[in-house]
Amino acid sequence: MAKISASGEAIVRVDLTLRQGKLFRSGRMGDNMAEPIRSVTIVGGGTAGWLAALILNSGLSRSTAPEHALDVTLIESPDIPTVGVGEATVPNMPRTLIDCGISEAQFFRACNSSFKLGVLFDNWNVDREGRPICYLNPFDEPPVIDGMDLAAYMLRFGAGELEFAELCGPNLDLIHEKRGPRGFRAPAFAQEASFAYHLDAGKFAALLRDVCTERGVTHILDNLREVEQDERGYVTALQLEKTGRREVELVLDCTGFRGLIINEVLGTEFVSYADCLANDRAMAVQIPHQGEALEPGTRSTALGAGWSWRVPLYNRVGTGYVFSSAHRTDEEARDEFMAHLGPAAEGLEPRVIPMRVGRNREAWVKNVIAVGLSGGFIEPLESTAIHMVDMSIRHLMRLFPDASYPEPVRRRYNQRMERLYDEVRDFICLHYALGNRVDTPYWIDAREELAVPDSLAENLELWRHTLPSYHDMPTATLFSYRTYQAVLMGKRVYEAGYAAQDITAAFALNEEKWWAFVAEQRGRIATFCERAPDHRQVLRDIRGELSSRERRRLERGEVPEPVAVTGMQVSEHSLL
């Protein structure tokens, strides 16, 4: 309740008031507003640091009046190499490029990028005869038939030899036929079929750096030597080796797995996911293309103690092995991985990367926010590393604080990041919990010994009786219930006896409509794929390397001349 002072003014003790789009707590209304934050200092470069800088610069500097613009500074060590997170992305990446004002052609040329139409999972499960299963986790949302999920119809009536993904959209066919997701001369970012990108992590970070510095982000190449704190523990200044002392306001820690400020200075607790995700090491190498055809998809192939990724870029292939050190030594993993790659890897030596799998208890502590590997990491099975950086900065922009760093703002940010990491963790755990391989101790342990998070375990029990639904997902920023359906259907778990009952028994499904849908859908997909050009030729068109004469010949269906792709430059070995 408000009291009236002798002067007749209303004194509000604890009211929350909305002013200039922000909530603030005041004594006298309008008094004691905290000062706005004028600068953000990012410690660490690589993809995480430069993407954070670009999103902040695009959203909070370039879009506001000069007097309110945010000053962004990035401090990067000239001596510490970056891990190079991310050579594959998720479908929100085109939106990020658009928001940051990077043209698609510039991105494809600078990063040797290619299209990614989904993730193919090889040998993660076996069928009833023990044969390896290969399935696609598609980007297409499975269609709905008369208000009922595609999965329900397919479980009831089957689809012959067709895979679930072959009825979701054209992406699996496009991958098999090595075709692009859109035609020649299509508008930039046109989504004729859903897609993400593959990219060169080192070149992507360089592109982000160049764009940032052109737009006014301050870049300091120097080593951090000391972190100053006030009596409350807030970071007030950074002592740099060559350029000296630099005062700071809001700090983003992008120093990688080490978490130099968030963990080593502020002592933030790290929450390990090792009880439910066994893989803790990776090795990476780059190999040349074998032939000219360019597959527009990421491949994840299960090996004896983990899985190998394959990311085909325009000029080379990025590949690696994510494995459990409890089941393979580095030497054993290397031998297995190189045998898997065959002659393509002859003479190459993969780099081993220890992985800290989990997240910080709090991503935002005092005036420091951990972004990228400093904040957490989950094995890159679904290519989520760049997505996590992207979302962490988008959440920050929606919850951007004033100089008082309000506790409700920090708490809400931390809640959102916790939910995001746990969402990704649960989806990755799903792939192991529903595995059925018994040929190595690793795969038996992955299914029987690893803990299953309570949030996932409850759903796995439920899905023995009914298909995943919208109401089962507490958060679904990336993995919707239909994505879970695609994995369950792709792994064919219901065929293998996972269901405790006929989960479609209560549904009124029309078989005639089902087969009509199958015929129509496959007809639409066949027409689309017949029209879709070769993936490599689409990339050449976007890069500006395809002449008008060549394009006309390709559009007439003539066989293209062989293309010499050069420049398999070795950049950073990167985690997917």
Side-chain angles (χ1 to χ4, degrees):
M1 179 180 296
K3 295 183 178 181
I4 306 299
S5 69
S7 62
E9 296 175 74
I11 302 174
V12 182
R13 299 294 182 190
V14 293
D15 286 358
L16 288 173
T17 309
L18 183 65
R19 182 163 177 164
Q20 293 183 349
K22 291 187 178 181
L23 287 169
F24 70 96
R25 190 180 295 272
S26 65
R28 186 180 300 272
M29 194 175 296
D31 292 347
N32 303 321
M33 285 188 66
E35 290 294 318
I37 288 175
R38 298 297 188 192
S39 69
V40 174
T41 302
I42 301 169
V43 182
T47 302
W50 287 112
L51 182 58
L54 184 55
I55 295 174
L56 287 172
N57 176 265
S58 300
L60 297 180
S61 295
R62 299 174 70 225
S63 60
T64 57
E67 64 270 21
H68 299 301
L70 186 72
D71 177 65
V72 180
T73 297
L74 188 144
I75 301 168
E76 184 175 27
S77 169
D79 304 320
I80 302 174
T82 59
V83 172
V85 168
E87 283 205 330
T89 62
V90 296
N92 73 328
M93 194 64 195
R95 179 194 67 176
T96 300
L97 296 179
I98 293 169
D99 290 348
C100 292
I102 295 177
S103 76
E104 196 176 41
Q106 178 187 19
F107 168 71
F108 272 90
R109 286 193 301 267
C111 304
N112 283 321
S113 305
S114 64
F115 284 108
K116 172 187 172 183
L117 306 186
V119 181
L120 282 163
F121 289 84
D122 284 328
N123 204 22
W124 279 73
N125 282 62
V126 296
D127 65 16
R128 286 175 290 188
E129 282 72 43
R131 295 171 301 197
I133 292 172
C134 178
Y135 71 92
L136 178 74
N137 183 7
F139 292 151
D140 303 288
E141 283 280 299
V144 175
I145 307 165
D146 283 350
M148 297 300 299
D149 289 330
L150 170 66
Y153 270 95
M154 193 164 182
L155 286 176
R156 171 76 65 83
F157 302 118
E161 297 298 317
L162 292 172
E163 296 288 335
F164 182 75
E166 290 178 291
L167 292 172
C168 292
N171 287 27
L172 183 56
D173 293 75
L174 292 170
I175 291 172
H176 286 328
E177 298 176 22
K178 298 178 176 59
R179 296 176 183 266
R182 63 174 184 244
F184 297 126
R185 292 178 284 197
F189 303 107
Q191 293 268 348
E192 295 179 18
S194 54
F195 62 81
Y197 303 115
H198 301 130
L199 54 84
D200 182 309
K203 292 183 180 298
F204 183 52
L207 170 64
L208 298 174
R209 178 199 63 210
D210 292 346
V211 173
C212 281
T213 54
E214 287 171 5
R215 296 179 183 176
V217 172
T218 302
H219 182 202
I220 299 174
L221 276 172
D222 209 341
N223 289 308
L224 177 63
R225 287 295 177 239
E226 186 178 343
V227 176
E228 295 182 19
Q229 297 172 269
D230 64 15
E231 67 281 357
R232 302 169 301 158
Y234 281 66
V235 174
T236 55
L238 304 175
Q239 188 70 36
L240 304 181
E241 184 177 59
K242 296 178 181 178
T243 53
R245 186 176 183 273
R246 185 176 187 88
E247 293 187 355
V248 296
E249 292 183 273
L250 180 61
V251 178
L252 304 189
D253 183 345
C254 297
T255 59
F257 284 130
R258 186 177 174 185
L260 187 62
I261 301 175
I262 195 76
N263 296 122
E264 294 192 9
V265 174
L266 296 181
T268 303
E269 179 188 359
F270 183 77
V271 179
S272 173
Y273 288 163
D275 61 329
C276 56
L277 291 169
N279 296 333
D280 58 356
R281 295 179 80 73
M283 53 182 58
V285 73
Q286 298 165 3
I287 60 176
H289 283 292
Q290 303 298 301
E292 185 185 348
L294 184 59
E295 188 173 65
T298 302
R299 279 190 181 266
S300 167
T301 302
L303 300 182
W307 55 274
S308 172
W309 76 80
R310 184 181 187 278
V311 176
L313 304 185
Y314 181 73
N315 64 324
R316 50 102 173 154
V317 176
T319 183
Y321 186 14
V322 177
F323 64 98
S324 162
S325 64
H327 297 83
R328 290 283 190 277
T329 65
D330 288 353
E331 293 74 21
E332 290 168 340
R334 178 200 175 280
D335 291 346
E336 182 184 15
F337 177 47
M338 300 306 271
H340 166 68
L341 295 179
E346 187 175 343
L348 300 177
E349 187 61 36
R351 169 193 172 198
V352 177
I353 307 167
M355 301 188 305
R356 184 181 74 157
V357 178
R359 60 171 173 81
N360 288 316
R361 178 75 66 187
E362 296 178 302
W364 185 344
V365 179
K366 303 184 186 301
N367 64 327
V368 176
I369 301 174
V371 176
L373 298 180
S374 301
F377 181 74
I378 299 172
E379 64 177 79
L381 187 60
E382 290 288 348
S383 314
T384 52
I386 292 177
H387 172 73
M388 304 298 263
V389 175
D390 190 344
M391 292 304 299
S392 68
I393 302 304
R394 290 181 186 274
H395 286 321
L396 172 59
M397 289 198 300
R398 295 185 185 100
L399 294 167
F400 202 80
D402 57 32
S404 70
Y405 303 98
E407 173 60 27
V409 172
R410 287 184 285 139
R411 182 169 59 249
R412 180 55 53 86
Y413 181 89
N414 286 329
Q415 288 170 349
R416 289 183 180 179
M417 292 308 298
E418 177 181 345
R419 286 197 294 264
L420 178 61
Y421 274 99
D422 288 352
E423 176 191 342
V424 175
R425 176 205 62 191
D426 283 7
F427 190 65
I428 301 304
C429 288
L430 173 77
H431 295 73
Y432 295 100
L434 293 182
N436 66 350
R437 287 181 50 173
V438 295
D439 55 315
T440 71
Y442 170 85
W443 289 104
I444 297 171
D445 290 347
R447 182 176 62 255
E448 298 181 359
E449 299 299 326
L450 289 179
V452 178
D454 291 343
S455 50
L456 176 61
E458 182 179 344
N459 277 333
L460 289 177
E461 282 300 311
L462 174 66
W463 296 336
R464 297 180 64 231
H465 303 272
T466 185
L467 284 166
S469 75
Y470 171 82
H471 303 286
D472 301 337
M473 303 288 105
T475 58
T477 59
L478 187 58
F479 303 117
S480 72
Y481 75 94
R482 289 199 171 103
T483 313
Y484 277 83
Q485 286 184 2
V487 174
L488 268 62
M489 297 298 289
K491 284 176 170 285
R492 305 181 197 173
V493 296
Y494 292 115
E495 294 179 20
Y498 179 66
Q501 63 187 64
D502 180 358
I503 61 177
T504 69
F507 300 151
L509 305 177
N510 186 308
E511 185 170 6
E512 185 177 342
K513 285 186 177 181
W514 165 245
W515 291 112
F517 164 80
V518 170
E520 291 170 7
Q521 181 76 335
R522 290 304 302 166
R524 285 190 291 267
I525 290 171
T527 300
F528 184 92
C529 292
E530 184 179 351
R531 206 173 59 238
D534 175 80
H535 181 210
R536 184 177 292 282
Q537 302 305 328
V538 173
L539 298 182
R540 292 184 64 216
D541 188 40
I542 296 171
R543 292 164 62 98
E545 298 172 359
L546 193 67
S547 68
S548 298
R549 178 174 173 270
E550 286 180 290
R551 188 186 300 114
R552 287 193 297 270
R553 290 182 61 191
L554 290 166
E555 288 173 332
R556 291 195 298 266
E558 298 178 21
V559 177
E561 297 178 0
V563 178
V565 178
T566 59
M568 196 198 105
Q569 298 171 322
V570 176
S571 64
E572 303 166 278
H573 294 301
S574 64
L575 290 172
L576 179 59

